[in-house]
Amino acid sequence: RDSKNVRLKGIDLDWVHPSCREAVITSIADGETRFRMVDPYREQGECMIRLFRGDTREMLPGASEVRLKGDAEDLGGGIRRLKYDFSKVGAGARVGDVLAFRKRNPDRPCPAVFVENAENVVFEDFSVRTADGMALLAQLSGDIRWSGGGVFPREGRYASTQADATHFSNVRGKVVVENCRFEGMMDDAINVHSTCLAIDGIESPQKFRCRFAHPQAFGFGLVRAGDTLRFLDDETLDAVGEVRVRRVRRE
């Protein structure tokens, strides 16, 4: 944060015990699925499960996340059982496929790397193997390059980040991502976007009230005194005027 000309080179970020626990399916029969945990098991409560093909490492075609409540029954010998038929999910899970258990926080906390109000940031041969949220969240900055490395699980694992690999939000200048590998994320590889606020009311020629369209954007320091705002028509997205900001108050 608040930095210029930062270069991160040759870094490989990982966790000994990623928050996403993985298991290999050993049998599917009679409406239940048995599996062997690869990671230490912990009670899940309500969890979200993503499936991967054991041989190709691809996410199970046609399947979104499976949401389940309750804990898996311990059958001994490292085998556990869920009363759920994963063979009926999407293209159909099979023996040898991998279950990735996660208790995903809907607010997507804890990105591996956070960049804000920075200029000319370079990630070179930089890898993120897992994270409890996104791998890289960069916002309100200028000129960012990621060259070499990427976001992918370590050898033997299937899932990487529990959200998008990257978000470049309101980044000016150039955003360059090259020669990178993206694999096993629970969402998109690359997002480059601005942030728009909807006008809820005009209180005077110099004062209006607006809102973030997404609740997770609240608190995002998007508008500051001295900034220039551009108004867009909500139907055509055509620019219809600009103003310079004198003062901002958050409510």
Side-chain angles (χ1 to χ4, degrees):
R1 303 176 89 170
D2 306 316
S3 302
K4 291 184 178 181
N5 304 321
V6 175
R7 185 181 184 213
L8 299 168
K9 181 178 180 180
I11 296 176
D12 193 336
L13 293 179
D14 200 358
W15 277 254
V16 174
H17 297 300
S19 57
C20 188
R21 309 292 183 173
E22 296 183 0
V24 178
I25 295 176
T26 58
S27 69
I28 305 175
D30 301 323
E32 66 181 36
T33 302
R34 300 187 182 196
F35 55 89
R36 174 180 51 81
M37 293 300 302
V38 176
D39 297 309
Y41 184 79
R42 66 183 180 194
E43 292 187 359
Q44 300 293 332
E46 183 175 4
C47 68
M48 305 168 75
I49 301 175
R50 183 65 64 87
L51 292 95
F52 293 84
R53 286 292 190 217
D55 51 358
T56 65
R57 306 183 64 83
E58 66 178 327
M59 291 185 182
L60 188 68
S64 185
E65 290 172 319
V66 176
R67 296 172 183 262
L68 293 178
K69 291 184 178 181
D71 198 21
E73 181 182 358
D74 188 354
L75 300 179
I79 303 298
R80 291 181 176 266
R81 173 174 64 187
L82 280 170
K83 293 182 178 180
Y84 190 92
D85 189 346
F86 283 96
S87 68
K88 296 181 179 179
V89 176
R94 55 200 183 209
V95 173
D97 287 348
V98 172
L99 305 175
F101 295 83
R102 63 194 183 114
K103 292 187 68 174
R104 177 177 173 183
N105 187 318
D107 293 330
R108 294 174 289 190
C110 307
V113 183
F114 179 63
V115 177
E116 183 178 64
N117 193 30
E119 301 288 336
N120 190 25
V121 179
V122 177
F123 300 92
E124 185 176 344
D125 296 327
F126 186 95
S127 300
V128 176
R129 303 308 187 104
T130 185
D132 210 19
M134 301 172 188
L136 171 63
L137 175 58
Q139 60 192 39
L140 302 171
S141 299
D143 294 324
I144 300 177
R145 177 184 295 270
W146 193 338
S147 180
V151 178
F152 50 93
R154 67 173 177 258
E155 187 69 26
R157 294 190 62 85
Y158 289 73
S160 57
T161 60
Q162 296 212 31
D164 313 84
T166 65
H167 264 263
F168 300 92
S169 176
N170 300 80
V171 174
R172 62 193 170 273
K174 288 185 177 181
V175 172
V176 178
V177 179
E178 58 185 1
N179 302 320
C180 290
R181 170 185 169 194
F182 294 98
E183 179 183 330
M185 305 86 58
M186 300 300 173
D187 216 320
D188 308 314
I190 302 174
N191 297 269
V192 183
H193 59 90
S194 61
T195 301
C196 297
L197 285 76
I199 296 177
D200 275 352
I202 299 176
E203 300 181 7
S204 74
Q206 288 80 34
K207 185 178 180 180
F208 60 90
R209 184 181 298 274
C210 57
R211 61 178 169 82
F212 287 102
H214 197 293
Q216 292 180 14
F218 186 79
F220 181 42
L222 177 63
V223 182
R224 296 167 290 191
D227 286 350
T228 298
L229 292 183
R230 174 176 294 170
F231 295 107
L232 305 178
D233 183 280
D234 65 343
E235 293 184 356
T236 66
L237 296 184
D238 290 335
V240 294
E242 293 184 352
V243 295
R244 185 170 293 275
V245 179
R246 292 181 179 176
R247 186 174 63 220
V248 178
R249 186 180 71 186
R250 294 184 179 86
E251 297 179 350

